[in-house]
């Protein structure tokens, strides 16, 4: 939108001593003629802009036209920037980039003088291997939430796949993944759907009237109830992986250096896959029935290589 671009140009002029028309044209992805029209519009709005021709020239704003520093501290402003940057990592539009420009108008004190880009001390990337598909899904789901439109998609759940139609209420980032929380028309209840398991996502024509929605209970014990008590022996060189995933308290170091691991697990298939990823470096002790099932899997795997 033109208004967003004008605010963005004003922000740049307030933060830099002088810029050129080609720089603004490239930054905002418009022609130099459009930039000239935008500068003229800002002048008509009463913004004191000066243009100088020749070497060292460019577009600048009068030095005495500055906005007072915000009441937020440098650290607080950098935290806001980090949060907006994290949303940029999964966003296919420039919505958050424009929002950052608006928030930091005149806030040049929050940047390093010798650096053209703001550098927060915290960097957050919410994207994944599915970044391109994820950005599309997030944008479409947000559209559904903002405009109260139903969503339809093919959902892959453990053991089955089905077409689902939901009334979306919240986008959720938890457990390193993105989810949508909404009313499932099939189950007639609120459900949490993982975006990476959704395909053929479509924004429906049908709209709905938002009701007071229950917030998702994202407590780990409720979503992932520990129904399987696991005991296993790991080789010593697996310590870093166990610490990374479960912390130091998940094992006791034995006299021979091996690690006696214990944890509660919620899904048998995920547990077996996780253990198999360690190859010969782990031996499952309990539960006995899963130990026997793993033995059958290993025997079948052996048959594939004979």
């Amino acid at each position: 939108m033109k208004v967003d671009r004008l605010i963005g140009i004003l922000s740049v002029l307030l933060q830099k001593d002088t810029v050129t028309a080609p720089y603004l044209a490239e930054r905002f992805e418009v022609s130099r003629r459009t930039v000239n029209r935008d500068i003229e519009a800002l002048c008509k709005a009463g913004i004191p802009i000066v243009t100088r021709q020749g070497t060292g020239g460019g577009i600048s704003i009068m030095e005495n036209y500055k906005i007072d520093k915000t009441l937020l501290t440098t650290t607080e402003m950098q935290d806001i920037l980090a949060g907006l940057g994290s949303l940029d990592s999964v966003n296919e539009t420039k919505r958050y980039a424009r929002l950052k420009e608006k928030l930091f108008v005149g806030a040049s004190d929050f940047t390093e003088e010798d650096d053209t880009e703001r550098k927060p001390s915290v960097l957050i990337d919410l994207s994944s291997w599915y970044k391109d598909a994820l950005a599309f899904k997030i944008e479409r789901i947000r559209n559904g939430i903002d405009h109260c439109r139903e969503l339809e998609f093919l959902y892959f759940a453990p053991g089955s796949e089905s077409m689902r139609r939901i009334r979306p209420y919240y986008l959720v980032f938890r457990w390193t993944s993105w989810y949508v929380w909404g009313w499932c028309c099939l189950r007639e209840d609120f459900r949490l759907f993982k975006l990476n398991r959704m395909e053929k996502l479509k924004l429906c024509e049908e709209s709905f009237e938002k009701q007071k929605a229950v917030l998702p209970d994202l407590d780990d014990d409720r979503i992932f109830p520990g129904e399987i008590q696991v005991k296993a022996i790991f080789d010593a060189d697996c310590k870093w992986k166990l610490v990374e995933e479960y912390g130091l308290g998940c094992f006791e170091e034995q006299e021979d250096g091996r690690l006696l691991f214990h944890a509660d697990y919620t899904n048998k298939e995920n547990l077996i896959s996780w253990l198999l990823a360690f190859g010969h470096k782990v031996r499952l002790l309990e539960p006995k029935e899963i130990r026997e099932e793993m033995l059958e899997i290993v025997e079948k795997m052996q048959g594939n290589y004979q």
Side-chain angles (χ1 to χ4, degrees):
M1 292 177 61
K2 181 178 179 179
V3 173
D4 288 340
R5 191 173 65 247
L6 290 175
I7 294 175
I9 291 174
L10 177 59
S11 173
V12 171
L13 294 175
L14 285 168
Q15 295 172 55
K16 298 179 181 293
D17 291 335
T18 304
V19 297
T20 64
Y23 170 83
L24 292 174
E26 181 179 358
R27 179 157 184 169
F28 294 98
E29 298 180 348
V30 294
S31 67
R32 290 183 59 178
R33 179 176 296 180
T34 298
V35 168
N36 292 335
R37 287 198 295 264
D38 288 343
I39 296 299
E40 183 179 352
L42 288 172
C43 289
K44 290 180 179 179
I47 309 298
I49 295 176
V50 179
T51 58
R52 298 181 180 87
Q53 303 295 324
T55 304
I59 305 168
S60 61
I61 198 165
M62 288 181 61
E63 190 173 348
N64 62 350
Y65 185 83
K66 295 293 179 182
I67 296 176
D68 291 337
K69 186 193 295 186
T70 176
L71 295 176
L72 294 174
T73 66
T74 299
T75 301
E76 289 169 338
M77 292 291 275
Q78 288 183 339
D79 286 345
I80 291 173
L81 180 61
L84 291 173
S86 69
L87 293 174
D88 267 336
S89 67
V90 289
N91 184 54
E92 62 180 1
T93 71
K94 294 188 176 181
R95 177 190 299 116
Y96 300 108
R98 291 195 294 266
L99 178 54
K100 282 187 285 187
E101 294 292 350
K102 294 177 184 178
L103 285 174
F104 287 87
V105 169
S108 57
D109 290 342
F110 299 111
T111 66
E112 296 181 15
E113 292 182 359
D114 59 346
D115 197 347
T116 58
E117 298 293 333
R118 305 183 185 87
K119 291 185 176 180
S121 57
V122 179
L123 302 176
I124 306 170
D125 190 339
L126 299 179
S127 61
S128 68
W129 294 106
Y130 307 96
K131 180 176 181 178
D132 293 339
L134 190 62
F136 164 78
K137 291 175 184 177
I138 288 176
E139 194 63 26
R140 182 151 289 188
I141 291 170
R142 286 202 61 178
N143 199 341
I145 294 172
D146 293 342
H147 297 94
C148 297
R149 299 267 299 277
E150 292 186 354
L151 296 169
E152 189 175 77
F153 52 87
L154 176 63
Y155 194 67
F156 295 85
S160 66
E161 57 187 76
S162 59
M163 292 300 300
R164 297 294 184 95
R165 181 183 286 255
I166 68 168
R167 298 171 180 175
Y169 279 81
Y170 298 103
L171 263 170
V172 180
F173 183 79
R174 187 73 186 270
W175 313 295
T176 72
S177 297
W178 283 92
Y179 301 81
V180 58
W181 174 257
W183 175 267
C184 177
C185 298
L186 178 64
R187 304 301 183 195
E188 296 186 342
D189 197 2
F190 283 95
R191 289 288 189 271
L192 197 64
F193 297 94
K194 194 171 186 177
L195 266 60
N196 283 347
R197 295 182 184 174
M198 299 165 58
E199 290 297 334
K200 301 179 181 178
L201 177 62
K202 182 177 71 173
L203 190 65
C204 302
E205 293 296 329
E206 290 78 7
S207 60
F208 63 94
E209 184 177 346
K210 274 192 176 178
Q211 307 294 327
K212 186 175 180 179
V214 295
L215 292 172
D217 181 359
L218 302 179
D219 183 74
D220 290 359
D221 292 335
R222 193 193 74 82
I223 301 297
F224 304 116
E227 298 175 347
I228 304 173
Q229 283 73 49
V230 178
K231 282 188 180 180
I233 289 287
F234 285 85
D235 286 0
D237 58 359
C238 297
K239 181 185 292 186
W240 68 273
K241 188 65 173 176
L242 298 181
V243 171
E244 175 185 321
E245 297 195 24
Y246 290 95
L248 271 173
C250 72
F251 60 82
E252 289 95 28
E253 197 160 349
Q254 307 298 292
E255 291 184 359
D256 59 2
R258 293 188 300 168
L259 311 170
L260 177 60
F261 171 82
H262 46 81
D264 293 340
Y265 228 86
T266 183
N267 183 283
K268 182 181 70 172
E269 287 72 22
N270 289 345
L271 170 62
I272 291 174
S273 297
W274 182 68
L275 290 171
L276 289 174
F278 288 90
H280 66 281
K281 295 180 181 292
V282 61
R283 179 164 61 92
L284 179 65
L285 303 177
E286 298 178 6
K288 182 180 178 182
E289 60 272 15
I290 296 182
R291 175 186 170 95
E292 293 173 353
E293 188 170 338
M294 284 192 66
L295 179 60
E296 293 178 5
I297 293 173
V298 172
E299 289 174 348
K300 291 178 181 178
M301 289 175 63
Q302 184 178 9
N304 289 338
Y305 293 94
Q306 288 178 344

PDB file of all heavy atoms in Angstrom, residues 288-305:
ATOM      1  N   LYS A 288       8.923 -54.641  28.506  1.00  0.00           N
ATOM      2  CA  LYS A 288       9.283 -55.915  27.905  1.00  0.00           C
ATOM      3  C   LYS A 288       8.602 -56.129  26.559  1.00  0.00           C
ATOM      4  O   LYS A 288       9.219 -56.613  25.602  1.00  0.00           O
ATOM      5  CB  LYS A 288       8.919 -57.054  28.865  1.00  0.00           C
ATOM      6  CG  LYS A 288       9.294 -58.430  28.352  1.00  0.00           C
ATOM      7  CD  LYS A 288       8.911 -59.505  29.363  1.00  0.00           C
ATOM      8  CE  LYS A 288       9.244 -60.896  28.822  1.00  0.00           C
ATOM      9  NZ  LYS A 288       8.842 -61.964  29.783  1.00  0.00           N
ATOM     10  N   GLU A 289       7.297 -55.751  26.446  1.00  0.00           N
ATOM     11  CA  GLU A 289       6.570 -56.004  25.198  1.00  0.00           C
ATOM     12  C   GLU A 289       7.131 -55.177  24.038  1.00  0.00           C
ATOM     13  O   GLU A 289       7.162 -55.639  22.896  1.00  0.00           O
ATOM     14  CB  GLU A 289       5.071 -55.727  25.380  1.00  0.00           C
ATOM     15  CG  GLU A 289       4.706 -54.302  25.779  1.00  0.00           C
ATOM     16  CD  GLU A 289       4.722 -54.090  27.275  1.00  0.00           C
ATOM     17  OE1 GLU A 289       5.284 -54.954  27.999  1.00  0.00           O
ATOM     18  OE2 GLU A 289       4.167 -53.066  27.716  1.00  0.00           O
ATOM     19  N   ILE A 290       7.590 -53.957  24.327  1.00  0.00           N
ATOM     20  CA  ILE A 290       8.186 -53.138  23.267  1.00  0.00           C
ATOM     21  C   ILE A 290       9.574 -53.669  22.913  1.00  0.00           C
ATOM     22  O   ILE A 290       9.981 -53.649  21.752  1.00  0.00           O
ATOM     23  CB  ILE A 290       8.248 -51.660  23.698  1.00  0.00           C
ATOM     24  CG1 ILE A 290       6.830 -51.116  23.880  1.00  0.00           C
ATOM     25  CG2 ILE A 290       9.008 -50.818  22.672  1.00  0.00           C
ATOM     26  CD1 ILE A 290       6.760 -49.654  24.269  1.00  0.00           C
ATOM     27  N   ARG A 291      10.282 -54.163  23.909  1.00  0.00           N
ATOM     28  CA  ARG A 291      11.581 -54.800  23.661  1.00  0.00           C
ATOM     29  C   ARG A 291      11.406 -55.958  22.677  1.00  0.00           C
ATOM     30  O   ARG A 291      12.186 -56.110  21.722  1.00  0.00           O
ATOM     31  CB  ARG A 291      12.157 -55.282  24.994  1.00  0.00           C
ATOM     32  CG  ARG A 291      13.446 -56.076  24.888  1.00  0.00           C
ATOM     33  CD  ARG A 291      13.806 -56.619  26.281  1.00  0.00           C
ATOM     34  NE  ARG A 291      14.890 -57.574  26.200  1.00  0.00           N
ATOM     35  CZ  ARG A 291      16.164 -57.268  26.386  1.00  0.00           C
ATOM     36  NH1 ARG A 291      16.502 -56.026  26.665  1.00  0.00           N
ATOM     37  NH2 ARG A 291      17.098 -58.202  26.311  1.00  0.00           N
ATOM     38  N   GLU A 292      10.376 -56.782  22.887  1.00  0.00           N
ATOM     39  CA  GLU A 292      10.122 -57.916  21.987  1.00  0.00           C
ATOM     40  C   GLU A 292       9.727 -57.434  20.596  1.00  0.00           C
ATOM     41  O   GLU A 292      10.130 -58.017  19.584  1.00  0.00           O
ATOM     42  CB  GLU A 292       9.031 -58.803  22.590  1.00  0.00           C
ATOM     43  CG  GLU A 292       9.467 -59.495  23.876  1.00  0.00           C
ATOM     44  CD  GLU A 292       8.313 -60.228  24.560  1.00  0.00           C
ATOM     45  OE1 GLU A 292       7.152 -60.055  24.081  1.00  0.00           O
ATOM     46  OE2 GLU A 292       8.560 -60.962  25.540  1.00  0.00           O
ATOM     47  N   GLU A 293       8.956 -56.378  20.542  1.00  0.00           N
ATOM     48  CA  GLU A 293       8.551 -55.833  19.245  1.00  0.00           C
ATOM     49  C   GLU A 293       9.750 -55.283  18.484  1.00  0.00           C
ATOM     50  O   GLU A 293       9.856 -55.438  17.263  1.00  0.00           O
ATOM     51  CB  GLU A 293       7.502 -54.737  19.445  1.00  0.00           C
ATOM     52  CG  GLU A 293       6.875 -54.248  18.154  1.00  0.00           C
ATOM     53  CD  GLU A 293       5.675 -53.340  18.399  1.00  0.00           C
ATOM     54  OE1 GLU A 293       5.078 -53.415  19.497  1.00  0.00           O
ATOM     55  OE2 GLU A 293       5.335 -52.567  17.479  1.00  0.00           O
ATOM     56  N   MET A 294      10.663 -54.651  19.203  1.00  0.00           N
ATOM     57  CA  MET A 294      11.869 -54.141  18.554  1.00  0.00           C
ATOM     58  C   MET A 294      12.722 -55.282  18.010  1.00  0.00           C
ATOM     59  O   MET A 294      13.334 -55.164  16.942  1.00  0.00           O
ATOM     60  CB  MET A 294      12.681 -53.298  19.545  1.00  0.00           C
ATOM     61  CG  MET A 294      12.105 -51.910  19.785  1.00  0.00           C
ATOM     62  SD  MET A 294      13.257 -50.839  20.660  1.00  0.00           S
ATOM     63  CE  MET A 294      14.559 -50.675  19.451  1.00  0.00           C
ATOM     64  N   LEU A 295      12.771 -56.372  18.746  1.00  0.00           N
ATOM     65  CA  LEU A 295      13.532 -57.534  18.288  1.00  0.00           C
ATOM     66  C   LEU A 295      12.973 -58.046  16.962  1.00  0.00           C
ATOM     67  O   LEU A 295      13.727 -58.379  16.033  1.00  0.00           O
ATOM     68  CB  LEU A 295      13.504 -58.631  19.353  1.00  0.00           C
ATOM     69  CG  LEU A 295      14.247 -59.928  19.002  1.00  0.00           C
ATOM     70  CD1 LEU A 295      15.717 -59.645  18.752  1.00  0.00           C
ATOM     71  CD2 LEU A 295      14.079 -60.959  20.124  1.00  0.00           C
ATOM     72  N   GLU A 296      11.648 -58.089  16.836  1.00  0.00           N
ATOM     73  CA  GLU A 296      11.023 -58.518  15.580  1.00  0.00           C
ATOM     74  C   GLU A 296      11.363 -57.559  14.439  1.00  0.00           C
ATOM     75  O   GLU A 296      11.638 -57.986  13.315  1.00  0.00           O
ATOM     76  CB  GLU A 296       9.507 -58.601  15.756  1.00  0.00           C
ATOM     77  CG  GLU A 296       9.054 -59.693  16.716  1.00  0.00           C
ATOM     78  CD  GLU A 296       7.543 -59.692  16.876  1.00  0.00           C
ATOM     79  OE1 GLU A 296       6.868 -58.904  16.169  1.00  0.00           O
ATOM     80  OE2 GLU A 296       7.029 -60.470  17.701  1.00  0.00           O
ATOM     81  N   ILE A 297      11.356 -56.267  14.739  1.00  0.00           N
ATOM     82  CA  ILE A 297      11.677 -55.264  13.718  1.00  0.00           C
ATOM     83  C   ILE A 297      13.116 -55.436  13.251  1.00  0.00           C
ATOM     84  O   ILE A 297      13.408 -55.408  12.048  1.00  0.00           O
ATOM     85  CB  ILE A 297      11.446 -53.843  14.274  1.00  0.00           C
ATOM     86  CG1 ILE A 297       9.955 -53.610  14.513  1.00  0.00           C
ATOM     87  CG2 ILE A 297      12.012 -52.790  13.326  1.00  0.00           C
ATOM     88  CD1 ILE A 297       9.644 -52.299  15.222  1.00  0.00           C
ATOM     89  N   VAL A 298      14.042 -55.645  14.211  1.00  0.00           N
ATOM     90  CA  VAL A 298      15.459 -55.814  13.859  1.00  0.00           C
ATOM     91  C   VAL A 298      15.650 -57.068  13.015  1.00  0.00           C
ATOM     92  O   VAL A 298      16.435 -57.077  12.043  1.00  0.00           O
ATOM     93  CB  VAL A 298      16.320 -55.868  15.140  1.00  0.00           C
ATOM     94  CG1 VAL A 298      17.758 -56.248  14.791  1.00  0.00           C
ATOM     95  CG2 VAL A 298      16.291 -54.518  15.855  1.00  0.00           C
ATOM     96  N   GLU A 299      14.939 -58.130  13.336  1.00  0.00           N
ATOM     97  CA  GLU A 299      15.059 -59.365  12.552  1.00  0.00           C
ATOM     98  C   GLU A 299      14.557 -59.156  11.125  1.00  0.00           C
ATOM     99  O   GLU A 299      15.147 -59.650  10.158  1.00  0.00           O
ATOM    100  CB  GLU A 299      14.283 -60.493  13.241  1.00  0.00           C
ATOM    101  CG  GLU A 299      14.939 -60.972  14.531  1.00  0.00           C
ATOM    102  CD  GLU A 299      14.083 -61.986  15.269  1.00  0.00           C
ATOM    103  OE1 GLU A 299      12.890 -62.142  14.892  1.00  0.00           O
ATOM    104  OE2 GLU A 299      14.590 -62.614  16.216  1.00  0.00           O
ATOM    105  N   LYS A 300      13.461 -58.402  10.973  1.00  0.00           N
ATOM    106  CA  LYS A 300      12.954 -58.106   9.634  1.00  0.00           C
ATOM    107  C   LYS A 300      13.924 -57.216   8.871  1.00  0.00           C
ATOM    108  O   LYS A 300      14.123 -57.395   7.656  1.00  0.00           O
ATOM    109  CB  LYS A 300      11.588 -57.443   9.728  1.00  0.00           C
ATOM    110  CG  LYS A 300      10.475 -58.362  10.209  1.00  0.00           C
ATOM    111  CD  LYS A 300       9.151 -57.626  10.321  1.00  0.00           C
ATOM    112  CE  LYS A 300       8.051 -58.543  10.824  1.00  0.00           C
ATOM    113  NZ  LYS A 300       6.757 -57.845  10.987  1.00  0.00           N
ATOM    114  N   MET A 301      14.545 -56.280   9.577  1.00  0.00           N
ATOM    115  CA  MET A 301      15.516 -55.404   8.929  1.00  0.00           C
ATOM    116  C   MET A 301      16.719 -56.248   8.459  1.00  0.00           C
ATOM    117  O   MET A 301      17.249 -56.031   7.357  1.00  0.00           O
ATOM    118  CB  MET A 301      15.995 -54.320   9.907  1.00  0.00           C
ATOM    119  CG  MET A 301      14.932 -53.267  10.230  1.00  0.00           C
ATOM    120  SD  MET A 301      15.503 -52.107  11.491  1.00  0.00           S
ATOM    121  CE  MET A 301      16.890 -51.344  10.668  1.00  0.00           C
ATOM    122  N   GLN A 302      17.111 -57.186   9.280  1.00  0.00           N
ATOM    123  CA  GLN A 302      18.233 -58.051   8.908  1.00  0.00           C
ATOM    124  C   GLN A 302      17.901 -58.836   7.634  1.00  0.00           C
ATOM    125  O   GLN A 302      18.742 -59.020   6.759  1.00  0.00           O
ATOM    126  CB  GLN A 302      18.550 -59.002  10.068  1.00  0.00           C
ATOM    127  CG  GLN A 302      19.768 -59.888   9.804  1.00  0.00           C
ATOM    128  CD  GLN A 302      20.070 -60.778  10.997  1.00  0.00           C
ATOM    129  OE1 GLN A 302      19.277 -60.859  11.943  1.00  0.00           O
ATOM    130  NE2 GLN A 302      21.200 -61.452  10.958  1.00  0.00           N
ATOM    131  N   GLY A 303      16.639 -59.259   7.548  1.00  0.00           N
ATOM    132  CA  GLY A 303      16.225 -59.994   6.352  1.00  0.00           C
ATOM    133  C   GLY A 303      16.290 -59.154   5.093  1.00  0.00           C
ATOM    134  O   GLY A 303      16.530 -59.680   3.994  1.00  0.00           O
ATOM    135  N   ASN A 304      16.103 -57.860   5.218  1.00  0.00           N
ATOM    136  CA  ASN A 304      16.178 -56.984   4.055  1.00  0.00           C
ATOM    137  C   ASN A 304      17.584 -56.869   3.481  1.00  0.00           C
ATOM    138  O   ASN A 304      17.762 -56.483   2.323  1.00  0.00           O
ATOM    139  CB  ASN A 304      15.702 -55.574   4.421  1.00  0.00           C
ATOM    140  CG  ASN A 304      14.197 -55.524   4.655  1.00  0.00           C
ATOM    141  OD1 ASN A 304      13.456 -56.386   4.177  1.00  0.00           O
ATOM    142  ND2 ASN A 304      13.750 -54.517   5.406  1.00  0.00           N
ATOM    143  N   TYR A 305      18.592 -57.188   4.279  1.00  0.00           N
ATOM    144  CA  TYR A 305      19.983 -57.022   3.850  1.00  0.00           C
ATOM    145  C   TYR A 305      20.687 -58.353   3.624  1.00  0.00           C
ATOM    146  O   TYR A 305      21.900 -58.399   3.408  1.00  0.00           O
ATOM    147  CB  TYR A 305      20.754 -56.192   4.879  1.00  0.00           C
ATOM    148  CG  TYR A 305      20.253 -54.758   4.936  1.00  0.00           C
ATOM    149  CD1 TYR A 305      19.285 -54.384   5.862  1.00  0.00           C
ATOM    150  CD2 TYR A 305      20.730 -53.795   4.052  1.00  0.00           C
ATOM    151  CE1 TYR A 305      18.815 -53.096   5.908  1.00  0.00           C
ATOM    152  CE2 TYR A 305      20.264 -52.508   4.090  1.00  0.00           C
ATOM    153  CZ  TYR A 305      19.302 -52.158   5.026  1.00  0.00           C
ATOM    154  OH  TYR A 305      18.834 -50.872   5.075  1.00  0.00           O
TER     155      TYR A 305
END
